Amino acid sequence: MIRVDVDVGIASVRYARSEVMSETSGDRRSESPSGEAFMEPRGAFVTLNTYPDRMLRGCIGYPYPVFSLAKTISEAARAACHDPRFPVLTAEEAKSVTVEVTVLTVPEPLKASNPNEIIESVKIGRDGLILEYKGYRGLLLPQVPVEQGWDVLDYLQGLSYKAGLHYDAWAQPEARLFRFEGEIFHETEPFGEIERGEQDVL
């Protein structure tokens, strides 16, 4: 697993929170966090969950390190307020969601030559996955199968559905799979303390 300094993780969530509040209220952008870690190119996702039931309310991110970590968090946080799967997040509603930031490693090809090897290679709680097949693409963060109680086969089928494909698309010879790891930091309640998320690797 990657290890992100806890101070960086806390600052990441606080910055994402400030960008969410700024986006929903129409205020100017908040001040970007300083430090070398936030200048380095990193992929990251920002997830918004309802509280206390923790239902998904928005999740947008960039899997590849195309921007600095600060810019990635800013762009993802603001875009998560407009996740096309949900109504636009209002300023009032933003006060009642929790903010989560997942900082990613660079995706790399999953080295497996057949479906059985793929299943053996994937570790629940460690691996986020990207599927590319016939112009379709889907991504699931490593915490998703843990939260859903999925085994590896469920995870791969869920990834195929996320890409808009048949459940066994992941097993097709032309399919391309990539894995990445992520480290999670999240608010325990809206505007509350920030904790590092721990995922059991199965």
Side-chain angles (χ1 to χ4, degrees), residues 5-74:
D5 183 86
V6 65
D7 291 335
V8 172
I10 290 171
S12 295
V13 176
R14 286 180 177 159
Y15 183 45
R17 161 61 75 179
S18 67
E19 291 290 80
V20 166
M21 301 312 295
S22 175
E23 179 68 15
T24 55
S25 66
D27 293 340
R28 63 180 177 81
R29 287 180 180 266
S30 49
E31 184 176 349
S32 176
S34 60
E36 184 176 341
F38 288 99
M39 298 173 62
E40 294 178 356
R42 294 296 292 268
F45 274 70
V46 173
T47 303
L48 308 178
N49 291 308
T50 61
Y51 182 84
D53 50 351
R54 288 191 55 78
M55 299 294 292
L56 181 66
R57 187 59 182 82
C59 182
I60 299 290
Y62 298 86
Y64 291 93
V66 294
F67 304 125
S68 68
L69 178 58
K71 183 174 175 59
T72 298
I73 292 170
S74 174

Side-chain angles (χ1 to χ4, degrees), residues 3 45 90 192 200:
R3 296 302 287 181
F45 274 70
T90 65
D200 292 331

Side-chain angles (χ1 to χ4, degrees), residues 94-114:
K95 300 174 184 177
S96 62
V97 299
T98 57
V99 177
E100 175 179 290
V101 174
T102 307
V103 182
L104 310 183
T105 61
V106 179
E108 57 186 23
L110 189 68
K111 294 176 178 162
S113 58
N114 60 63

Side-chain angles (χ1 to χ4, degrees), residues 1 121-127 142 146 181 198-202:
M1 287 289 291
S121 298
V122 174
K123 298 297 181 185
I124 298 294
R126 180 194 70 186
D127 295 332
V146 177
E181 297 181 24
E198 298 294 342
Q199 300 288 359
D200 292 331
V201 178
L202 305 179

Side-chain angles (χ1 to χ4, degrees), residues 7 31 39 43 53 75 82 85-86 146 150 152 155 170 196 200:
D7 291 335
E31 184 176 349
M39 298 173 62
D53 50 351
E75 296 295 325
H82 305 273
R85 296 171 291 180
F86 305 98
V146 177
W150 289 345
V152 174
Y155 186 18
W170 66 272
R196 187 197 301 268
D200 292 331

